[in-house]
Amino acid sequence: MASAMDILRHSHVSAVHFFDGAGGTRSRSCTTRRFNVRANLPFPQKNAKYYKELEAAVDVVHSACRLCVQVKSSLFSTDGKVLEKIDQTPVTVADFGVQALISLELNKLFPSIPLVAEEDSAFLRSTNLVDTVLDAVTAEASSTSKPLTQDDVLEAIDRGGKDAFVFGSKPATYWVLDPIDGTRGFLKASKALYVVGLALVVEGEIVIGVMGCPNWQEDESEKSSSEIEEGREALPGSGIMMIAHKGYGTWTKRLNSKPQSSGVWTRCFVDSFDIIHKARFCIPESQTWESLPLSSTFNVTSNANDVGSSQILLLATCCGSLCKYLMVASGRASVFFLRAKEKTVIKAWDHAVGMICIHEAGGKVTDWNGIEIDLAADQTGRRIIFPSGGILVTNGNFHNQILHIISQT
């Protein structure tokens, strides 16, 4: 097998700067490009500036996914595991547990790097479930000199909360975490997708990203025998890990039972469709096709075998934004379309890790005016983004064409 550097040398590698400051049956893609590497990470340490950070991120996201799988296995038989936030968005013990676990582990390794994350402990403190979260975290946390306590877990959650750190206007370095993106999917007994997403921003630029999706179902027909063999140690429900490093592409491998095992990493590329009506679209579950600008030009169908010239294929996906980024970056979808609705706040953690995975896979992410997403728009907390009109994620081939349609409507 060719070395990782040989593969990188002969394949397209793109880098991105996300600035924080100033019809017939459709195949997965038009052309299939598969580069497989068996290693802890798919590129050499000496050439990847943020190798250690990525290695740590892979480990903690893997542990977080294992926590999710364990909690979900008892979710529908144990009372009290499902909670409700004030805004009526479902949240789980796994949500708090993942944030506590990742916060604890990152703080051990990189204590000077702050964390921007979805949860704070205020609601959890008002319940009798702190011990439940503590047990879930303790089961997956790395060894410590003394047992974890309730205070350790609550403080770890608050390390990523809204009042934990004030950034200011200068470019900043910080982790961005969505403990579970798609909690509605997590709560479904079906195979609805949910994602643990972690990104690192260094001086205003997203440099690495890791997404873990425990119940992602792979297409075995496209896999090599070594990749199929790898699946024998995978977490229940299949599942994949997607990673991206600035300048080194986007890669996936199975969620193995052992995070440090030398899994088979597969290089990811966006699909290569270059005609809008042949592309595969996904949109938020809370929005309808009729509410989006392209509805004036194209109708939608869910039948991949019968897509007319004035139609587009709309994929059924649930839940959350990051699984849509994962689908586009892996070549399963071509476009993710999101409208910024009035009075609805768009959170940075719902998009940051997806943005680098898309670009390193060859795609593009902008707002509806074609402007790159500004992670520093919320100068104080780096928690909110303000994309004009909405967010457009594509394989890059017809990005400008869609922007033109948006501008005309």
Side-chain angles (χ1 to χ4, degrees):
M1 180 181 292
S3 70
M5 279 308 297
D6 287 339
I7 290 170
L8 290 170
R9 195 175 294 119
H10 292 95
S11 59
H12 173 68
V13 177
S14 59
V16 63
H17 297 285
F18 290 110
F19 287 105
D20 170 27
T25 301
R26 298 185 174 205
S27 62
R28 176 176 171 180
S29 60
C30 294
T31 58
T32 300
R33 297 168 286 180
R34 297 183 70 80
F35 303 120
N36 297 333
V37 176
R38 181 178 288 276
N40 288 343
L41 289 179
F43 35 78
Q45 180 175 358
K46 65 179 181 180
N47 295 314
K49 186 175 181 179
Y50 305 102
Y51 189 97
K52 290 183 178 180
E53 289 85 352
L54 181 56
E55 202 169 39
V58 168
D59 284 351
V60 297
V61 170
H62 182 276
S63 296
C65 288
R66 193 163 51 208
L67 184 154
C68 290
V69 170
Q70 293 302 318
V71 171
K72 186 168 183 176
S73 67
S74 59
L75 182 65
F76 299 99
S77 60
T78 302
D79 292 338
K81 286 290 180 70
V82 180
L83 312 178
E84 289 286 335
K85 283 195 235 183
I86 294 174
D87 66 358
Q88 302 303 307
T89 302
V91 67
T92 64
V93 167
D95 211 12
F96 289 110
V98 166
Q99 182 159 322
L101 175 64
I102 291 180
S103 175
L104 284 165
E105 300 298 330
L106 292 180
N107 193 55
K108 291 176 188 176
L109 299 171
F110 312 102
S112 65
I113 303 179
L115 174 67
V116 174
E118 182 174 13
E119 307 296 349
D120 61 49
S121 70
F123 180 73
L124 186 61
R125 290 175 189 269
S126 69
T127 73
N128 61 354
L129 291 169
V130 180
D131 277 334
T132 309
V133 174
L134 173 60
D135 290 343
V137 173
T138 299
E140 297 300 335
S142 60
S143 59
T144 58
S145 57
K146 58 181 181 178
L148 291 174
T149 66
Q150 285 191 2
D151 286 342
D152 292 332
V153 167
L154 293 170
E155 289 171 8
I157 293 170
D158 285 335
R159 196 174 293 123
K162 62 182 183 298
D163 299 321
F165 197 87
V166 176
F167 287 93
S169 60
K170 293 182 179 180
T173 296
Y174 53 97
W175 296 99
V176 185
L177 169 67
D178 194 338
I180 297 181
D181 184 70
T183 49
R184 289 192 301 275
F186 180 85
L187 295 173
K188 290 178 179 290
S190 66
K191 296 296 184 181
L193 302 180
Y194 63 95
V195 173
V196 177
L198 179 65
L200 177 63
V201 179
V202 175
E203 293 300 312
E205 182 181 4
I206 306 174
V207 296
I208 63 169
V210 179
M211 288 193 280
C213 184
N215 57 353
W216 177 270
Q217 299 298 309
E218 292 283 9
D219 184 353
E220 299 290 348
S221 66
E222 293 187 355
K223 284 189 166 294
S224 67
S225 58
S226 61
E227 290 174 288
I228 294 173
E229 180 69 21
E230 188 72 26
R232 295 184 180 182
E233 292 187 352
L235 288 173
S238 186
I240 66 167
M241 178 85 71
M242 175 176 283
I243 68 170
H245 185 295
K246 174 191 170 185
Y248 285 88
T250 299
W251 302 76
T252 62
K253 78 167 183 175
R254 298 290 289 267
L255 271 173
N256 295 331
S257 56
K258 298 178 181 179
Q260 289 294 344
S261 64
S262 297
V264 176
W265 288 100
T266 300
R267 182 78 182 270
C268 285
F269 296 95
V270 294
D271 71 29
S272 53
F273 290 116
D274 55 6
I275 300 175
I276 292 179
H277 85 86
K278 291 186 177 181
R280 298 158 298 173
F281 282 67
C282 47
I283 64 175
E285 296 71 35
S286 61
Q287 299 182 13
T288 65
W289 180 253
E290 290 71 26
S291 70
L292 300 173
L294 266 66
S295 63
S296 62
T297 306
F298 297 97
N299 296 318
V300 295
T301 179
S302 59
N303 185 356
N305 296 318
D306 186 22
V307 181
S309 60
S310 61
Q311 292 180 312
I312 61 95
L313 177 64
L314 186 62
L315 302 177
T317 59
C318 181
C319 298
S321 295
L322 290 183
C323 74
K324 278 85 165 178
Y325 280 97
L326 199 154
M327 291 182 69
V328 176
S330 64
R332 285 198 181 181
S334 315
V335 181
F336 169 37
F337 221 141
L338 179 145
R339 173 186 285 276
K341 296 191 294 185
E342 187 177 357
K343 297 181 180 180
T344 298
V345 176
I346 299 179
K347 302 297 179 63
W349 49 76
D350 288 329
H351 301 275
V353 64
M355 289 158 60
I356 188 170
C357 288
I358 289 293
H359 197 92
E360 289 295 325
K364 192 169 184 178
V365 183
T366 70
D367 67 15
W368 285 15
N369 287 333
I371 306 301
E372 290 180 353
I373 308 302
D374 182 6
L375 293 178
D378 173 12
Q379 291 189 358
T380 302
R382 298 299 197 272
R383 304 176 69 79
I384 303 171
I385 55 177
F386 302 93
S388 179
I391 294 176
L392 177 62
V393 180
T394 75
N395 63 12
N397 291 334
F398 37 68
H399 197 94
N400 291 339
Q401 187 179 350
I402 293 178
L403 290 175
H404 178 72
I405 296 174
I406 292 173
S407 70
Q408 297 300 306
T409 56

